[in-house]
Amino acid sequence: MDKKSLKNKIDFSYVLKRLLLIVLAVYICVSLISQQFKLTSLESAEKELDAEFSLEEKRKKELDDEKALLGTDEYYERAARERLGFTKKNEKVFIDINK
């Protein structure tokens, strides 16, 4: 009977070790899959932020260019044309009626 009880203990410890390994393997797989979903989400957010950053850089350049022109005759002329609709004397204005 000693051999049988010893064999049962060995079998129990063997089964317990295998069960723990399986549980650990499942936990690692679930963790890796979860991390992959998070990584995909973060990469998507990074792309959106990069696109937004590019737009803001473009806007900054436009503002810097406008700042450089500020106070010049060219700036006042352009502002009068674009914002106020002014034209030069004897200038012909064409209006697109399809707009």
Side-chain angles (χ1 to χ4, degrees), residues 36-81:
Q36 187 62 41
F37 283 124
K38 287 180 184 178
L39 182 62
T40 303
S41 171
L42 290 173
E43 286 173 347
S44 172
E46 180 184 21
K47 286 179 184 177
E48 290 175 14
L49 289 174
D50 283 343
E52 187 178 330
F53 181 76
S54 296
L55 288 175
E56 292 300 324
E57 283 290 319
K58 183 179 176 183
R59 176 74 177 135
K60 181 184 180 289
K61 185 183 180 313
E62 290 172 358
L63 289 174
D64 287 342
D65 292 344
E66 189 173 329
K67 182 180 174 184
L69 289 175
L70 193 65
T72 64
D73 290 340
E74 182 183 330
Y75 173 77
Y76 291 126
E77 182 180 332
R78 191 177 75 186
R81 287 176 176 274

